[in-house]
Amino acid sequence: MGKVETAAVGTWEHRGVRYGIRRWSGPALAGRANGPTPAGRSAYDPRADEAAGRDAYDPRSDRDVNRGARDSRPGCVAARDVCERTAAPIMLLHGFAQSAASWDGVARLLAKVCPVIAFEFAGHGGSDCPRDPASYALEAQAEALHAFLAGFEAKPVVVGYSMGGRIALAAAVRDPRAFAAHAAALVLESVGLGPADDDERAASACRDAANAARLRADGVAAFMEEWERLPLFATQRALPSDVRERVRAERMSADAEALARSFEHAGQHAMPARADVLAALAALRDEGLPVQYVVGACDAKYRALAALLAAEGLCASHVIEAAGHNVHLEKPAAFVQVVRQLGR
């Protein structure tokens, strides 16, 4: 295993929305990178494409039958361009108010042995902040995820944290057979399973609406002050100061209106019903797709969900000691071990 050489950034377009992409490559892939990340550039700005006269990339528009999709333009990333290895590639899906950069520590470990690519959802990171609220809908983002997965030459292990995992589940509910056909495995990290009944959906809708209203009224800084004090993130207060500062800086860089629309159109209340989610997971199991649920031992709410899935025989569960909601941030080595087992 060698040093990770590159972290390339770019965009991918679906139905008029550009989604940010980040790719980490080890030495075996460095020679095929579409363009190294410019020095000092930690997050992708889609306006750079416009300034350089580049269009957002569609992996299906530039396909070579022998080698897969390609794009020679610097900064653009083709889905198929990262997957021509024996080891299964890893696809990372971030959580709320995060970006692809939130995976950097884990991605650098994974990229020593396999290609790693992260996908950014609407209103996050280098993706567009569309004016049309429908672009933020859980169903719309699940459809985009489906389309992006279809562009891979080799099936990736899909890893979704929190909101990213919920969007992956929405994609699986939408078409379990198609999801299983385009993925090598699914890792769900601290992911909600949808409302168990109408009362739970109504309560979630009230919370999501209140959060959206606070973002619009008070702005990102004031909202995040309260958000970071939630018991869900209590274990993160013990992280080193530089890690906490990076997490906070990423949250503070978010767009208030985009986050508000994410609550309104892709919040917990927008999830498919739990019965439908469990049925989709059963369908994935029957299709032979390995599914793993990863949760921190200190995260009681999501440990209960992991126990439910294990009791139903729907997937294996991994409880990581001394970790809270964001396992990959708090215990990256243990998290990487789980993911690597699925990518072999």
Side-chain angles (χ1 to χ4, degrees):
M1 296 186 295
K3 178 181 177 183
V4 174
E5 301 289 346
T6 62
V9 293
T11 58
W12 173 82
E13 184 171 346
H14 180 70
R15 297 192 184 281
V17 177
R18 289 185 299 181
Y19 296 89
I21 306 296
R22 180 178 289 238
R23 186 263 316 274
W24 293 261
S25 300
L29 284 177
R32 294 209 301 271
N34 285 327
T37 304
R41 184 170 163 191
S42 60
Y44 179 70
D45 183 348
R47 293 171 295 184
D49 272 343
E50 298 172 358
R54 299 192 299 263
D55 295 323
Y57 182 66
D58 181 348
R60 293 168 297 182
S61 67
D62 190 26
R63 184 168 294 149
D64 181 304
V65 295
N66 295 316
R67 298 294 300 279
R70 290 278 183 242
D71 186 15
S72 59
R73 296 166 296 177
C76 292
V77 178
R80 291 175 182 265
D81 195 37
V82 302
C83 306
E84 295 169 352
R85 298 273 307 272
T86 301
I90 308 295
M91 181 177 176
L92 304 172
L93 308 175
H94 63 79
F96 173 76
Q98 294 185 334
S99 69
S102 67
W103 289 105
D104 193 63
V106 162
R108 289 180 177 276
L109 294 174
L110 291 169
K112 293 177 180 179
V113 294
C114 66
V116 180
I117 187 165
F119 184 91
E120 295 178 320
F121 296 108
H124 290 73
S127 294
D128 286 344
C129 296
R131 293 184 179 180
D132 183 3
S135 298
Y136 297 85
L138 199 71
E139 175 66 20
Q141 303 211 64
E143 180 193 13
L145 177 58
H146 255 305
F148 190 72
L149 280 172
F152 278 78
E153 183 74 16
K155 295 180 181 181
V157 174
V158 179
V159 181
Y161 164 64
S162 197
M163 184 188 79
R166 290 192 293 105
I167 293 174
L169 282 177
V173 170
R174 184 173 181 269
D175 191 339
R177 181 169 294 181
F179 190 92
H182 293 130
L186 174 62
V187 178
L188 300 169
E189 178 192 359
S190 309
V191 176
L193 302 178
D197 52 40
D198 290 342
D199 289 343
E200 187 173 325
R201 187 180 298 279
S204 295
C206 287
R207 287 193 299 271
D208 289 336
N211 283 328
R214 282 199 296 273
L215 276 161
R216 291 190 174 107
D218 302 332
V220 171
F223 177 85
M224 289 303 172
E225 285 288 343
E226 184 175 349
W227 184 255
E228 291 171 349
R229 288 197 293 268
L230 290 174
L232 194 67
F233 305 120
T235 52
Q236 294 183 22
R237 296 168 198 151
L239 291 171
S241 60
D242 62 323
V243 175
R244 286 185 281 112
E245 288 169 6
R246 286 199 302 270
V247 171
R248 180 167 178 77
E250 183 177 44
R251 290 170 174 163
M252 294 293 292
S253 68
D255 179 84
E257 181 61 24
L259 294 184
R261 290 180 174 180
S262 295
F263 272 123
E264 291 172 334
H265 302 283
Q268 293 277 358
H269 77 282
M271 279 285 288
R274 181 165 301 176
D276 294 333
V277 171
L278 297 182
L281 287 170
L284 295 181
R285 177 197 60 199
D286 295 344
E287 290 288 332
L289 184 76
V291 180
Q292 307 271 357
Y293 195 98
V294 182
V295 64
C298 302
D299 191 350
K301 175 182 176 180
Y302 289 87
R303 278 192 69 175
L305 296 180
L308 169 66
L309 293 175
E312 294 286 337
L314 295 175
C315 68
S317 296
H318 298 268
V319 179
I320 307 302
E321 294 300 322
H325 189 63
N326 193 334
V327 178
H328 73 266
L329 174 70
E330 299 175 39
K331 298 293 178 182
F335 186 82
V336 165
Q337 185 176 7
V338 173
V339 176
R340 278 183 177 166
Q341 289 173 352
L342 289 171
R344 291 173 182 170

